[in-house]
Amino acid sequence: MSERSQDISGIFGEIKREFLHFANCYASAVKSGAKVAGQQIIEVVEELDQPADIPAGKLIAAVKIGVQHAGEQMMDSGMDFVEQMKKKAKK
């Protein structure tokens, strides 16, 4: 394989690794956010006599908290990625 082909192959390999890393971080954040939202919903349900009495606002708030949690995890992951890229650039 020519040097140019090896360079291109290396670039695509790096893109693939970073994409897989991002996908894993995204999946983890979504799972964690769903867990947080689920816990919030359980807490709301435990406060009421009948699940049908759950106000829609409390359910929406629980989902928002879960989404916010997932977003915060993705931001943290993004900041870690930027720091890793800075370290690689210095080498």
Side-chain angles (χ1 to χ4, degrees), residues 8-29:
I8 291 171
S9 179
I11 290 169
F12 281 117
E14 183 69 22
I15 290 170
K16 180 181 176 181
R17 281 188 294 279
E18 294 305 330
F19 176 77
L20 290 174
H21 176 73
F22 174 82
N24 286 331
C25 289
Y26 179 79
S28 176

Side-chain angles (χ1 to χ4, degrees), residues 18-63:
E18 294 305 330
F19 176 77
L20 290 174
H21 176 73
F22 174 82
N24 286 331
C25 289
Y26 179 79
S28 176
V30 169
K31 183 178 178 180
S32 179
K35 185 176 180 180
V36 168
Q39 186 59 41
Q40 293 286 320
I41 291 169
I42 289 170
E43 289 174 13
V44 169
V45 171
E46 287 176 348
E47 294 173 2
L48 303 171
D49 292 333
Q50 297 293 322
D53 295 337
I54 299 171
K58 287 189 177 184
L59 289 175
I60 292 169
V63 172

Side-chain angles (χ1 to χ4, degrees), residues 1 19 27 30 34 36 38 42 47 51-52 57 61 63-64 66-67 70 72 76-79 89-90:
M1 206 182 327
F19 176 77
V30 169
V36 168
I42 289 170
E47 294 173 2
V63 172
K64 284 182 181 179
V67 169
E72 288 170 357
D76 289 344
S77 178
M79 293 302 292
K90 287 181 181 179

